[in-house]
Amino acid sequence: PTWVNWLLCMSFGIEALTIGYNLSIGPIFILNQFGKPVGTIGVLFAVGAASGSIAAIGATCTEAGRNLMYKIAASPFDLCFAMGGIALGVLVATVPNFVV
């Protein structure tokens, strides 16, 4: 094991905490603050999960996706790139908390 492996394991743990927080508190927050119907909130979160899954499958299971990922970031930094994308998604999910 190298320091990169340790760092990635710690990052996955931290990301799991933030994703768990967003998926558990997010729907309640949207319901209470914006008064959106529960069905709309469910569809919103389902579309987010589905689009993330489709993007992940496209990046890992297709030849074009693997080639693109290799050009952007070679291993092990491809995982770091993916973690950055997850972190960006978590930050975007917190936008309603900011004063507009």
Side-chain angles (χ1 to χ4, degrees), residues 55-91:
I57 290 169
T60 58
C61 296
T62 63
E63 190 66 32
R66 280 192 297 265
N67 290 338
L68 181 62
M69 281 299 292
Y70 185 72
K71 287 178 186 176
I72 292 173
S75 182
F77 298 107
D78 55 348
L79 291 176
C80 296
F81 182 76
M83 293 300 292
I86 293 170
L88 181 64
V90 169
L91 290 174

Side-chain angles (χ1 to χ4, degrees), residues 12-67:
F12 278 118
I14 293 168
E15 286 295 337
L17 290 173
T18 59
I19 290 169
Y21 173 81
N22 279 337
L23 293 179
S24 61
I25 302 298
I28 297 169
F29 177 81
I30 293 170
L31 178 67
N32 291 336
Q33 293 297 317
F34 300 109
K36 296 295 181 187
V38 176
T40 302
I41 296 169
V43 168
L44 177 72
F45 278 77
V47 167
S51 61
S53 297
I54 290 169
I57 290 169
T60 58
C61 296
T62 63
E63 190 66 32
R66 280 192 297 265
N67 290 338

